[in-house]
mmCIF file of all heavy atoms in Angstrom:
data_model
loop_
_atom_site.group_PDB
_atom_site.id
_atom_site.type_symbol
_atom_site.label_atom_id
_atom_site.label_comp_id
_atom_site.label_asym_id
_atom_site.label_seq_id
_atom_site.Cartn_x
_atom_site.Cartn_y
_atom_site.Cartn_z
ATOM 1 N N VAL S 12 -12.715 -8.457 -12.612
ATOM 2 C CA VAL S 12 -11.566 -8.818 -11.790
ATOM 3 C C VAL S 12 -10.700 -7.602 -11.488
ATOM 4 O O VAL S 12 -10.196 -7.441 -10.375
ATOM 5 C CB VAL S 12 -10.733 -9.917 -12.482
ATOM 6 C CG1 VAL S 12 -9.435 -10.180 -11.746
ATOM 7 C CG2 VAL S 12 -11.537 -11.190 -12.604
ATOM 8 N N SER S 13 -10.525 -6.698 -12.455
ATOM 9 C CA SER S 13 -9.685 -5.533 -12.218
ATOM 10 C C SER S 13 -10.279 -4.619 -11.147
ATOM 11 O O SER S 13 -9.545 -4.015 -10.364
ATOM 12 C CB SER S 13 -9.449 -4.752 -13.515
ATOM 13 O OG SER S 13 -10.657 -4.255 -14.039
ATOM 14 N N THR S 14 -11.594 -4.546 -11.083
ATOM 15 C CA THR S 14 -12.248 -3.758 -10.031
ATOM 16 C C THR S 14 -11.964 -4.363 -8.662
ATOM 17 O O THR S 14 -11.663 -3.647 -7.707
ATOM 18 C CB THR S 14 -13.768 -3.685 -10.278
ATOM 19 O OG1 THR S 14 -13.996 -3.120 -11.566
ATOM 20 C CG2 THR S 14 -14.466 -2.874 -9.217
ATOM 21 N N ALA S 15 -12.049 -5.682 -8.577
ATOM 22 C CA ALA S 15 -11.761 -6.368 -7.318
ATOM 23 C C ALA S 15 -10.298 -6.175 -6.926
ATOM 24 O O ALA S 15 -9.991 -5.914 -5.758
ATOM 25 C CB ALA S 15 -12.085 -7.854 -7.441
ATOM 26 N N MET S 16 -9.393 -6.272 -7.897
ATOM 27 C CA MET S 16 -7.974 -6.086 -7.601
ATOM 28 C C MET S 16 -7.705 -4.661 -7.138
ATOM 29 O O MET S 16 -6.961 -4.449 -6.172
ATOM 30 C CB MET S 16 -7.117 -6.404 -8.833
ATOM 31 C CG MET S 16 -7.056 -7.881 -9.153
ATOM 32 S SD MET S 16 -5.837 -8.286 -10.439
ATOM 33 C CE MET S 16 -6.476 -7.413 -11.861
ATOM 34 N N LEU S 17 -8.313 -3.687 -7.800
ATOM 35 C CA LEU S 17 -8.104 -2.291 -7.422
ATOM 36 C C LEU S 17 -8.608 -2.031 -6.007
ATOM 37 O O LEU S 17 -7.951 -1.349 -5.220
ATOM 38 C CB LEU S 17 -8.791 -1.351 -8.413
ATOM 39 C CG LEU S 17 -8.564 0.141 -8.188
ATOM 40 C CD1 LEU S 17 -7.082 0.487 -8.189
ATOM 41 C CD2 LEU S 17 -9.304 0.948 -9.236
ATOM 42 N N ARG S 18 -9.740 -2.592 -5.671
ATOM 43 C CA ARG S 18 -10.272 -2.426 -4.316
ATOM 44 C C ARG S 18 -9.289 -2.977 -3.278
ATOM 45 O O ARG S 18 -9.064 -2.371 -2.239
ATOM 46 C CB ARG S 18 -11.635 -3.121 -4.211
ATOM 47 C CG ARG S 18 -12.273 -2.924 -2.843
ATOM 48 C CD ARG S 18 -13.735 -3.305 -2.818
ATOM 49 N NE ARG S 18 -14.479 -2.277 -3.542
ATOM 50 C CZ ARG S 18 -15.369 -2.529 -4.511
ATOM 51 N NH1 ARG S 18 -15.632 -3.759 -4.854
ATOM 52 N NH2 ARG S 18 -15.993 -1.543 -5.127
ATOM 53 N N ARG S 19 -8.695 -4.134 -3.556
ATOM 54 C CA ARG S 19 -7.745 -4.732 -2.613
ATOM 55 C C ARG S 19 -6.470 -3.891 -2.506
ATOM 56 O O ARG S 19 -5.918 -3.717 -1.416
ATOM 57 C CB ARG S 19 -7.375 -6.160 -3.016
ATOM 58 C CG ARG S 19 -8.503 -7.187 -3.041
ATOM 59 C CD ARG S 19 -9.536 -7.010 -1.950
ATOM 60 N NE ARG S 19 -10.620 -7.960 -2.006
ATOM 61 C CZ ARG S 19 -11.767 -7.802 -2.679
ATOM 62 N NH1 ARG S 19 -11.977 -6.732 -3.403
ATOM 63 N NH2 ARG S 19 -12.714 -8.707 -2.630
ATOM 64 N N VAL S 20 -6.003 -3.375 -3.647
ATOM 65 C CA VAL S 20 -4.815 -2.523 -3.622
ATOM 66 C C VAL S 20 -5.091 -1.277 -2.789
ATOM 67 O O VAL S 20 -4.249 -0.855 -1.988
ATOM 68 C CB VAL S 20 -4.372 -2.148 -5.054
ATOM 69 C CG1 VAL S 20 -3.291 -1.082 -5.034
ATOM 70 C CG2 VAL S 20 -3.884 -3.376 -5.809
ATOM 71 N N GLU S 21 -6.266 -0.684 -2.955
ATOM 72 C CA GLU S 21 -6.627 0.503 -2.170
ATOM 73 C C GLU S 21 -6.666 0.188 -0.683
ATOM 74 O O GLU S 21 -6.233 0.997 0.143
ATOM 75 C CB GLU S 21 -7.972 1.054 -2.642
ATOM 76 C CG GLU S 21 -7.896 1.697 -4.007
ATOM 77 C CD GLU S 21 -9.248 2.037 -4.605
ATOM 78 O OE1 GLU S 21 -10.284 1.552 -4.085
ATOM 79 O OE2 GLU S 21 -9.275 2.781 -5.602
ATOM 80 N N GLU S 22 -7.172 -0.993 -0.329
ATOM 81 C CA GLU S 22 -7.189 -1.402 1.078
ATOM 82 C C GLU S 22 -5.761 -1.514 1.619
ATOM 83 O O GLU S 22 -5.469 -1.055 2.726
ATOM 84 C CB GLU S 22 -7.900 -2.747 1.236
ATOM 85 C CG GLU S 22 -9.394 -2.697 1.025
ATOM 86 C CD GLU S 22 -10.038 -4.084 0.998
ATOM 87 O OE1 GLU S 22 -9.363 -5.083 1.342
ATOM 88 O OE2 GLU S 22 -11.215 -4.165 0.616
ATOM 89 N N LEU S 23 -4.894 -2.128 0.830
ATOM 90 C CA LEU S 23 -3.503 -2.266 1.246
ATOM 91 C C LEU S 23 -2.823 -0.906 1.369
ATOM 92 O O LEU S 23 -2.035 -0.678 2.298
ATOM 93 C CB LEU S 23 -2.736 -3.146 0.262
ATOM 94 C CG LEU S 23 -3.056 -4.632 0.320
ATOM 95 C CD1 LEU S 23 -2.422 -5.357 -0.855
ATOM 96 C CD2 LEU S 23 -2.592 -5.221 1.637
ATOM 97 N N GLN S 24 -3.133 0.012 0.451
ATOM 98 C CA GLN S 24 -2.546 1.354 0.532
ATOM 99 C C GLN S 24 -2.982 2.079 1.796
ATOM 100 O O GLN S 24 -2.164 2.727 2.451
ATOM 101 C CB GLN S 24 -2.924 2.174 -0.699
ATOM 102 C CG GLN S 24 -2.106 1.822 -1.920
ATOM 103 C CD GLN S 24 -2.449 2.699 -3.095
ATOM 104 O OE1 GLN S 24 -3.615 2.883 -3.438
ATOM 105 N NE2 GLN S 24 -1.424 3.243 -3.724
ATOM 106 N N ARG S 25 -4.262 1.975 2.137
ATOM 107 C CA ARG S 25 -4.737 2.617 3.370
ATOM 108 C C ARG S 25 -4.029 2.029 4.588
ATOM 109 O O ARG S 25 -3.624 2.758 5.500
ATOM 110 C CB ARG S 25 -6.253 2.474 3.503
ATOM 111 C CG ARG S 25 -7.036 3.454 2.655
ATOM 112 C CD ARG S 25 -8.495 3.476 3.025
ATOM 113 N NE ARG S 25 -9.165 2.201 2.824
ATOM 114 C CZ ARG S 25 -9.698 1.786 1.666
ATOM 115 N NH1 ARG S 25 -9.633 2.555 0.605
ATOM 116 N NH2 ARG S 25 -10.288 0.624 1.577
ATOM 117 N N LEU S 26 -3.884 0.727 4.602
ATOM 118 C CA LEU S 26 -3.198 0.078 5.720
ATOM 119 C C LEU S 26 -1.734 0.510 5.779
ATOM 120 O O LEU S 26 -1.224 0.865 6.848
ATOM 121 C CB LEU S 26 -3.305 -1.440 5.590
ATOM 122 C CG LEU S 26 -2.647 -2.262 6.690
ATOM 123 C CD1 LEU S 26 -3.250 -1.933 8.047
ATOM 124 C CD2 LEU S 26 -2.787 -3.742 6.381
ATOM 125 N N ALA S 27 -1.066 0.515 4.643
ATOM 126 C CA ALA S 27 0.343 0.912 4.603
ATOM 127 C C ALA S 27 0.517 2.365 5.020
ATOM 128 O O ALA S 27 1.481 2.706 5.703
ATOM 129 C CB ALA S 27 0.913 0.690 3.202
ATOM 130 N N ASP S 28 -0.412 3.220 4.621
ATOM 131 C CA ASP S 28 -0.321 4.635 4.981
ATOM 132 C C ASP S 28 -0.556 4.871 6.472
ATOM 133 O O ASP S 28 -0.195 5.925 6.990
ATOM 134 C CB ASP S 28 -1.313 5.463 4.170
ATOM 135 C CG ASP S 28 -0.917 5.578 2.713
ATOM 136 O OD1 ASP S 28 0.253 5.278 2.385
ATOM 137 O OD2 ASP S 28 -1.774 5.955 1.892
ATOM 138 N N SER S 29 -1.151 3.894 7.139
ATOM 139 C CA SER S 29 -1.430 4.054 8.564
ATOM 140 C C SER S 29 -0.261 3.590 9.447
ATOM 141 O O SER S 29 -0.291 3.801 10.651
ATOM 142 C CB SER S 29 -2.702 3.283 8.951
ATOM 143 O OG SER S 29 -2.469 1.884 8.918
ATOM 144 N N ILE S 30 0.739 2.973 8.841
ATOM 145 C CA ILE S 30 1.885 2.524 9.634
ATOM 146 C C ILE S 30 2.979 3.578 9.600
ATOM 147 O O ILE S 30 2.939 4.504 8.803
ATOM 148 C CB ILE S 30 2.424 1.149 9.152
ATOM 149 C CG1 ILE S 30 2.953 1.248 7.723
ATOM 150 C CG2 ILE S 30 1.359 0.087 9.273
ATOM 151 C CD1 ILE S 30 3.648 -0.009 7.247
ATOM 152 N N ALA S 31 3.936 3.411 10.434
ATOM 153 C CA ALA S 31 5.007 4.400 10.559
ATOM 154 C C ALA S 31 5.856 4.459 9.290
ATOM 155 O O ALA S 31 6.379 3.448 8.841
ATOM 156 C CB ALA S 31 5.881 4.047 11.757
ATOM 157 N N GLU S 32 5.987 5.670 8.756
ATOM 158 C CA GLU S 32 6.770 5.854 7.548
ATOM 159 C C GLU S 32 8.270 5.695 7.805
ATOM 160 O O GLU S 32 9.039 5.587 6.857
ATOM 161 C CB GLU S 32 6.492 7.229 6.946
ATOM 162 C CG GLU S 32 5.098 7.352 6.401
ATOM 163 C CD GLU S 32 4.830 8.718 5.772
ATOM 164 O OE1 GLU S 32 5.794 9.455 5.521
ATOM 165 O OE2 GLU S 32 3.655 9.014 5.553
ATOM 166 N N HIS S 33 8.674 5.677 9.042
ATOM 167 C CA HIS S 33 10.097 5.525 9.339
ATOM 168 C C HIS S 33 10.540 4.066 9.337
ATOM 169 O O HIS S 33 11.718 3.783 9.474
ATOM 170 C CB HIS S 33 10.443 6.184 10.676
ATOM 171 C CG HIS S 33 9.783 5.546 11.844
ATOM 172 N ND1 HIS S 33 8.529 5.936 12.270
ATOM 173 C CD2 HIS S 33 10.177 4.546 12.664
ATOM 174 C CE1 HIS S 33 8.193 5.193 13.312
ATOM 175 N NE2 HIS S 33 9.160 4.347 13.568
ATOM 176 N N HIS S 34 9.605 3.130 9.175
ATOM 177 C CA HIS S 34 9.978 1.717 9.123
ATOM 178 C C HIS S 34 10.839 1.491 7.882
ATOM 179 O O HIS S 34 10.541 2.014 6.811
ATOM 180 C CB HIS S 34 8.715 0.843 9.071
ATOM 181 C CG HIS S 34 9.011 -0.606 9.272
ATOM 182 N ND1 HIS S 34 9.535 -1.388 8.267
ATOM 183 C CD2 HIS S 34 8.871 -1.408 10.342
ATOM 184 C CE1 HIS S 34 9.708 -2.618 8.712
ATOM 185 N NE2 HIS S 34 9.309 -2.649 9.989
ATOM 186 N N PRO S 35 11.909 0.723 7.989
ATOM 187 C CA PRO S 35 12.826 0.558 6.850
ATOM 188 C C PRO S 35 12.200 -0.100 5.617
ATOM 189 O O PRO S 35 12.699 0.079 4.510
ATOM 190 C CB PRO S 35 13.962 -0.305 7.412
ATOM 191 C CG PRO S 35 13.429 -0.919 8.660
ATOM 192 C CD PRO S 35 12.357 -0.005 9.177
ATOM 193 N N TYR S 36 11.123 -0.831 5.788
ATOM 194 C CA TYR S 36 10.482 -1.481 4.634
ATOM 195 C C TYR S 36 9.397 -0.609 4.003
ATOM 196 O O TYR S 36 8.888 -0.922 2.935
ATOM 197 C CB TYR S 36 9.845 -2.812 5.031
ATOM 198 C CG TYR S 36 10.789 -3.835 5.601
ATOM 199 C CD1 TYR S 36 10.298 -4.927 6.287
ATOM 200 C CD2 TYR S 36 12.172 -3.717 5.470
ATOM 201 C CE1 TYR S 36 11.150 -5.883 6.817
ATOM 202 C CE2 TYR S 36 13.026 -4.662 6.006
ATOM 203 C CZ TYR S 36 12.507 -5.750 6.668
ATOM 204 O OH TYR S 36 13.342 -6.692 7.194
ATOM 205 N N TRP S 37 9.016 0.454 4.677
ATOM 206 C CA TRP S 37 7.898 1.258 4.208
ATOM 207 C C TRP S 37 8.078 1.802 2.791
ATOM 208 O O TRP S 37 7.163 1.704 1.983
ATOM 209 C CB TRP S 37 7.583 2.397 5.188
ATOM 210 C CG TRP S 37 6.338 3.127 4.812
ATOM 211 C CD1 TRP S 37 5.066 2.797 5.176
ATOM 212 C CD2 TRP S 37 6.220 4.273 3.970
ATOM 213 N NE1 TRP S 37 4.162 3.671 4.619
ATOM 214 C CE2 TRP S 37 4.855 4.586 3.859
ATOM 215 C CE3 TRP S 37 7.132 5.059 3.285
ATOM 216 C CZ2 TRP S 37 4.386 5.657 3.110
ATOM 217 C CZ3 TRP S 37 6.657 6.130 2.541
ATOM 218 C CH2 TRP S 37 5.301 6.415 2.462
ATOM 219 N N PRO S 38 9.223 2.374 2.427
ATOM 220 C CA PRO S 38 9.359 2.885 1.059
ATOM 221 C C PRO S 38 9.175 1.798 0.001
ATOM 222 O O PRO S 38 8.510 2.024 -1.015
ATOM 223 C CB PRO S 38 10.778 3.462 1.022
ATOM 224 C CG PRO S 38 11.080 3.798 2.442
ATOM 225 C CD PRO S 38 10.398 2.718 3.241
ATOM 226 N N ALA S 39 9.719 0.620 0.231
ATOM 227 C CA ALA S 39 9.550 -0.472 -0.735
ATOM 228 C C ALA S 39 8.077 -0.852 -0.851
ATOM 229 O O ALA S 39 7.558 -1.058 -1.960
ATOM 230 C CB ALA S 39 10.387 -1.683 -0.325
ATOM 231 N N LEU S 40 7.387 -0.922 0.261
ATOM 232 C CA LEU S 40 5.962 -1.232 0.253
ATOM 233 C C LEU S 40 5.172 -0.144 -0.461
ATOM 234 O O LEU S 40 4.324 -0.420 -1.314
ATOM 235 C CB LEU S 40 5.465 -1.404 1.689
ATOM 236 C CG LEU S 40 3.964 -1.669 1.875
ATOM 237 C CD1 LEU S 40 3.566 -2.974 1.206
ATOM 238 C CD2 LEU S 40 3.619 -1.676 3.345
ATOM 239 N N HIS S 41 5.466 1.099 -0.140
ATOM 240 C CA HIS S 41 4.756 2.236 -0.725
ATOM 241 C C HIS S 41 4.883 2.257 -2.245
ATOM 242 O O HIS S 41 3.881 2.348 -2.962
ATOM 243 C CB HIS S 41 5.302 3.532 -0.118
ATOM 244 C CG HIS S 41 4.776 4.759 -0.763
ATOM 245 N ND1 HIS S 41 3.496 5.222 -0.543
ATOM 246 C CD2 HIS S 41 5.340 5.609 -1.649
ATOM 247 C CE1 HIS S 41 3.302 6.316 -1.265
ATOM 248 N NE2 HIS S 41 4.407 6.572 -1.937
ATOM 249 N N PHE S 42 6.099 2.171 -2.749
ATOM 250 C CA PHE S 42 6.295 2.243 -4.200
ATOM 251 C C PHE S 42 5.799 0.994 -4.915
ATOM 252 O O PHE S 42 5.311 1.074 -6.047
ATOM 253 C CB PHE S 42 7.762 2.528 -4.526
ATOM 254 C CG PHE S 42 8.173 3.925 -4.162
ATOM 255 C CD1 PHE S 42 9.140 4.147 -3.200
ATOM 256 C CD2 PHE S 42 7.582 5.025 -4.761
ATOM 257 C CE1 PHE S 42 9.519 5.438 -2.854
ATOM 258 C CE2 PHE S 42 7.943 6.323 -4.423
ATOM 259 C CZ PHE S 42 8.914 6.524 -3.466
ATOM 260 N N THR S 43 5.864 -0.153 -4.259
ATOM 261 C CA THR S 43 5.313 -1.378 -4.849
ATOM 262 C C THR S 43 3.799 -1.248 -5.017
ATOM 263 O O THR S 43 3.248 -1.604 -6.072
ATOM 264 C CB THR S 43 5.646 -2.601 -3.978
ATOM 265 O OG1 THR S 43 7.066 -2.744 -3.908
ATOM 266 C CG2 THR S 43 5.030 -3.872 -4.533
ATOM 267 N N LEU S 44 3.135 -0.735 -3.999
ATOM 268 C CA LEU S 44 1.686 -0.557 -4.090
ATOM 269 C C LEU S 44 1.307 0.497 -5.126
ATOM 270 O O LEU S 44 0.298 0.350 -5.826
ATOM 271 C CB LEU S 44 1.106 -0.213 -2.721
ATOM 272 C CG LEU S 44 1.106 -1.361 -1.709
ATOM 273 C CD1 LEU S 44 0.724 -0.860 -0.328
ATOM 274 C CD2 LEU S 44 0.173 -2.473 -2.160
ATOM 275 N N GLN S 45 2.116 1.553 -5.249
ATOM 276 C CA GLN S 45 1.861 2.560 -6.278
ATOM 277 C C GLN S 45 1.972 1.938 -7.666
ATOM 278 O O GLN S 45 1.135 2.191 -8.540
ATOM 279 C CB GLN S 45 2.863 3.718 -6.143
ATOM 280 C CG GLN S 45 2.654 4.576 -4.928
ATOM 281 C CD GLN S 45 1.407 5.434 -5.046
ATOM 282 O OE1 GLN S 45 1.117 5.981 -6.086
ATOM 283 N NE2 GLN S 45 0.671 5.538 -3.960
ATOM 284 N N LEU S 46 2.996 1.132 -7.872
ATOM 285 C CA LEU S 46 3.190 0.451 -9.150
ATOM 286 C C LEU S 46 2.041 -0.506 -9.438
ATOM 287 O O LEU S 46 1.476 -0.511 -10.537
ATOM 288 C CB LEU S 46 4.526 -0.295 -9.143
ATOM 289 C CG LEU S 46 4.883 -1.097 -10.388
ATOM 290 C CD1 LEU S 46 5.020 -0.195 -11.606
ATOM 291 C CD2 LEU S 46 6.173 -1.866 -10.149
#
């Protein structure tokens, strides 16, 4: 299960990294995904 969860988190990180970093929600999303 942890492998599956990690794969999904990595997918979300790639998607988040592809959006504009100037969006006001981006920092919250970025640090949440890092955590």
Side-chain angles (χ1 to χ4, degrees):
V12 172
S13 62
T14 302
M16 288 189 297
L17 184 57
R18 183 166 287 130
R19 297 324 178 270
V20 170
E21 289 170 347
E22 289 172 11
L23 287 170
Q24 282 183 311
R25 281 192 298 275
L26 180 60
D28 289 345
S29 71
I30 63 173
E32 292 181 14
H33 64 272
H34 191 282
Y36 300 164
W37 187 87
L40 177 62
H41 173 75
F42 290 117
T43 299
L44 289 171
Q45 290 289 319
L46 178 63

